[in-house]
């Protein structure tokens, strides 16, 4: 599918013509306009001691290596957004592999370090995940978590149907405590991204007032904060200047939460999730209802305790019911062992899943079940199809989070942060020429 047919398919002919008009106002014939937009975003984030993550098609990088080096030197992360701006769902696996490899060699030749991949149109397939793993990417950022913060009833039927078409195109998944966390599939980290993105808000829903856009983004932030997850905001840098006010509103909203929101690049989030994977909690009984806890982790690990008493060690308030434990070796008083018990027939896959979610687990027999804070007997796999897996995993995490039992666990984010925020953007084009070349390039690579 090329740009023209994609746009017409999801937005209609009228909208496509309307969009063409805006191309000349957002892009220029030189790099000047986009350079200004990129620096606007970088400066905005620098005030919060962080930087954005941009994704760019390799052919666009090849035409603008100096601009992208300049942006990377300012601290922005640059990830790969395809060789050309095409939809991988239309490509065979060998072709996905070939084009991804081509993209990598352009990044290498221009000396731009990359860690991650985001597909144009978030168009990932199971084959893409194999390709990214085989080619050594640290992460991909394609799973689109839908935040239904838009009141669809106030939209005209035409706008509403366009909006619903884009949800289907982006393979949207529901928002819950589990889907807002990154997760490993083999060696590849999958970092969720969020929709609606700026294009859906500005172009499809025609919401262009910066205050209102800022309010929508803050609403998403609040919901992500409540779930303790990650908000990956997606905006196209050509709207950088237009979005500045809205971004400022979002960033100060995030900064004003009672507990810290970690604002980071996706590369930093990927490194953190890899580091966190090694953490372990070792819990041994000392006496009835008393347990020695020894944590193997790095200094920035967040150790949380709920419904138990930490003896002789300071704790700090955190999001209820958890408190933050500073010490790495401490004693707790609890009515049950603060582990999650698993029946002997529960597969290792379940233990690995719970470990990644931050919960300590121990295998035990049915007779010992009562000794543990929670006990699960899950004889099979956690779902077979991807949809079932998503459902089972979401339900399990929600069940654990809702249980009023003594439990120790690792928080998702470093240094006691409650949630995380990443500002990301796809640099689909730098100039007007790039915009029109996309049509040709995609046509040549189907
Ligand atoms: Zn794109």
């Amino acid at each position: 599918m090329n740009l023209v047919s994609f746009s017409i398919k999801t937005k209609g002919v009228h909208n496509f013509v309307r969009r063409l008009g805006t191309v000349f106002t957002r892009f220029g014939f030189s790099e000047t306009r986009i350079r200004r937009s990129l620096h606007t975003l970088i400066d905005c984030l620098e005030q919060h001691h962080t930087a954005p993550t941009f994704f760019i098609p390799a052919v666009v990088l090849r035409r603008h290596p100096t601009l992208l080096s300049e942006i990377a030197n300012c601290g922005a992360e640059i990830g790969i957004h395809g060789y050309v701006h095409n939809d991988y769902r239309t490509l065979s696996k060998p072709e996905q592999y070939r084009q991804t490899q081509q993209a990598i060699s352009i990044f290498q030749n221009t000396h731009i370090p990359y860690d991650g991949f985001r597909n144009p149109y978030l168009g990932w397939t199971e084959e893409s995940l194999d390709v990214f793993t085989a080619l050594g990417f640290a992460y991909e950022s394609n799973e689109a978590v839908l935040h239904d913060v838009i009141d669809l009833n106030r939209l005209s039927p035409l706008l509403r149907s366009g909006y619903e078409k884009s949800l289907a195109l982006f393979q949207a998944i529901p928002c819950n405590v589990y889907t807002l966390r990154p997760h490993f599939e083999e060696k590849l980290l999958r970092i969720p991204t969020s929709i609606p993105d700026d294009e859906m808000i500005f172009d499809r829903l025609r919401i262009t007032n910066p205050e209102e856009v800022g309010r929508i983004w803050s609403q998403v932030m609040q919901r992500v904060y409540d779930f303790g997850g990650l908000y990956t905001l997606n905006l196209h840098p050509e709207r950088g200047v237009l979005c500045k006010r809205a971004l400022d509103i979002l960033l100060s909203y995030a900064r004003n939460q009672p507990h810290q929101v970690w604002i980071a690049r996706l590369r930093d989030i990927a490194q953190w999730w890899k580091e966190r994977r090694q953490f372990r909690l070792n819990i041994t009984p000392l006496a009835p209802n008393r347990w020695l806890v020894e944590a193997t982790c790095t200094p920035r690990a967040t150790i949380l305790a709920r419904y138990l008493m930490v003896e002789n060690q300071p704790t700090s308030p955190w999001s209820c019911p958890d408190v933050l434990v500073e010490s790495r070796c401490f004693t707790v008083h609890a009515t049950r062992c603060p582990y999650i018990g698993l029946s002997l027939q529960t597969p290792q896959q379940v233990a690995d899943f719970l470990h990644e979610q931050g919960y300590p687990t121990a295998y035990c027999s049915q007779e010992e079940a009562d000794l543990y804070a929670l006990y699960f007997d899950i004889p099979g796999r956690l779902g077979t199809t991807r949809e079932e897996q998503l459902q089972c995993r979401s339900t399990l995490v929600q069940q654990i989070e809702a249980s009023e039992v003594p439990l120790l666990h690792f928080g998702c984010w470093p240094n006691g942060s409650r949630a995380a925020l990443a500002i990301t953007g796809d640099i689909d084009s730098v100039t007007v020429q790039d915009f029109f070349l996309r049509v040709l390039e995609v046509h040549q690579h189907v």
Side-chain angles (χ1 to χ4, degrees):
M1 184 168 41
N2 67 30
L3 175 71
V4 178
S5 65
F6 162 76
S7 297
I8 291 174
K9 194 171 158 188
T10 58
K11 299 174 194 165
V13 177
H14 174 75
N15 272 347
F16 181 67
V17 172
R18 190 176 152 271
R19 172 130 195 240
L20 273 186
T22 66
V23 169
F24 292 94
T25 57
R26 287 185 190 152
F27 304 96
F29 290 99
S30 75
E31 293 173 347
T32 313
R33 207 165 288 178
I34 284 289
R35 174 177 275 115
R36 190 160 68 99
S37 293
L38 291 168
H39 281 290
T40 301
L41 294 172
I42 290 169
D43 294 348
C44 199
L45 285 165
E46 202 175 15
Q47 289 171 18
H48 296 268
H49 314 290
T50 184
T53 300
F54 297 121
F55 293 92
I56 188 166
V59 289
V60 183
L61 168 65
R62 188 166 56 193
R63 286 196 286 271
H64 306 281
T66 316
L67 173 64
L68 270 298
S69 295
E70 177 190 314
I71 296 305
N73 288 336
C74 289
E77 173 189 354
I78 315 292
I80 303 183
H81 194 46
Y83 173 65
V84 297
H85 198 277
N86 57 359
D87 191 333
Y88 270 30
R89 285 169 290 195
T90 64
L91 304 180
S92 66
K93 187 173 176 179
E95 190 54 25
Q96 289 189 28
Y97 190 93
R98 198 180 69 79
Q99 293 191 18
T100 311
Q101 233 178 356
Q102 273 182 304
I104 288 173
S105 49
I106 291 180
F107 270 69
Q108 286 168 341
N109 292 341
T110 40
H111 307 289
I112 299 284
Y114 66 90
D115 291 320
F117 196 104
R118 175 181 286 156
N119 284 89
Y121 316 111
L122 304 177
W124 66 278
T125 66
E126 297 294 336
E127 290 81 13
S128 322
L129 303 183
D130 293 342
V131 168
F132 302 151
T133 309
L135 291 172
F137 283 91
Y139 75 88
E140 61 88 73
S141 177
N142 284 310
E143 271 195 314
V145 177
L146 170 65
H147 298 278
D148 51 355
V149 289
I150 310 284
D151 178 10
L152 296 183
N153 293 322
R154 69 175 214 179
L155 302 177
S156 69
L158 187 69
L159 286 186
R160 187 174 173 149
S161 94
Y163 184 75
E164 282 164 355
K165 274 182 200 155
S166 32
L167 294 186
L169 181 84
F170 292 146
Q171 310 172 87
I173 59 171
C175 168
N176 62 52
V177 65
Y178 167 64
T179 56
L180 289 171
R181 296 175 177 182
H183 71 274
F184 274 105
E185 288 186 20
E186 307 284 334
K187 283 184 183 159
L188 182 71
L189 185 68
R190 306 202 66 194
I191 304 183
T193 186
S194 299
I195 51 172
D197 65 359
D198 63 318
E199 195 168 277
M200 290 165 82
I201 292 177
F202 280 83
D203 286 358
R204 290 177 206 185
L205 300 175
R206 314 264 173 89
I207 301 172
T208 51
N209 178 326
E211 304 286 330
E212 194 178 352
V213 175
R215 190 187 53 75
I216 292 171
W217 289 350
S218 301
Q219 233 179 312
V220 175
M221 185 70 249
Q222 184 62 57
R223 163 203 273 242
V224 171
Y225 181 85
D226 292 341
F227 281 133
L230 165 68
Y231 179 13
T232 307
L233 175 79
N234 250 331
L235 62 87
H236 289 78
E238 67 258 26
R239 285 192 199 85
V241 175
L242 202 62
C243 286
K244 187 185 178 312
R245 174 77 192 120
L247 193 56
D248 282 334
I249 293 172
L250 168 66
L251 291 168
S252 47
Y253 192 85
R255 279 287 180 241
N256 286 322
Q257 294 298 314
H259 303 289
Q260 188 176 294
V261 173
W262 183 43
I263 308 175
R265 300 173 303 179
L266 294 183
R267 165 181 289 159
D268 307 318
I269 289 168
Q271 278 168 3
W272 159 249
W273 211 257
K274 195 174 169 190
E275 176 184 321
R276 183 180 171 277
R277 198 182 203 186
Q278 309 302 323
F279 298 171
R280 297 283 183 281
L281 282 172
N282 188 32
I283 305 174
T284 43
L286 290 175
N289 297 344
R290 283 187 80 222
W291 314 87
L292 174 68
V293 183
E294 292 163 298
T296 308
C297 58
T298 57
R300 59 180 186 153
T302 298
I303 300 179
L304 301 168
R306 59 174 72 157
Y307 303 110
L308 51 76
M309 203 188 77
V310 180
E311 292 182 4
N312 307 321
Q313 290 287 341
T315 58
S316 324
W318 210 71
S319 184
C320 189
D322 286 311
V323 293
L324 187 66
V325 186
E326 301 294 344
S327 174
R328 291 345 193 196
C329 182
F330 51 96
T331 306
V332 299
H333 190 97
T335 50
R336 292 182 186 191
C337 177
Y339 265 131
I340 294 177
L342 296 176
S343 75
L344 300 172
Q345 59 175 346
T346 301
Q348 183 62 36
Q349 182 218 24
V350 177
D352 292 344
F353 167 71
L354 292 173
H355 171 72
E356 183 170 39
Q357 302 309 309
Y359 309 115
T361 58
Y363 278 98
C364 64
S365 64
Q366 183 84 50
E367 293 73 46
E368 295 169 307
D370 285 348
L371 301 176
Y372 291 89
L374 284 167
Y375 180 79
F376 291 113
D377 176 29
I378 304 170
R381 294 172 62 81
L382 283 170
T384 41
T385 65
R386 196 168 269 284
E387 287 72 23
E388 277 172 16
Q389 282 177 12
L390 190 72
Q391 185 62 50
C392 290
R393 287 164 191 234
S394 298
T395 308
L396 190 54
V397 175
Q398 280 162 11
Q399 195 183 341
I400 295 168
E401 288 297 311
S403 302
E404 295 186 6
V405 293
L407 200 59
L408 285 159
H409 62 118
F410 285 110
C412 290
W413 311 109
N415 302 314
S417 298
R418 164 77 181 146
L421 169 65
I423 307 301
T424 73
D426 301 342
I427 309 174
D428 295 338
S429 313
V430 170
T431 58
V432 170
Q433 297 88 307
D434 290 329
F435 188 88
F436 290 105
L437 278 169
R438 258 169 77 176
V439 179
L440 285 176
E441 286 161 353
V442 170
H443 191 69
Q444 286 161 359
H445 290 86
V446 284

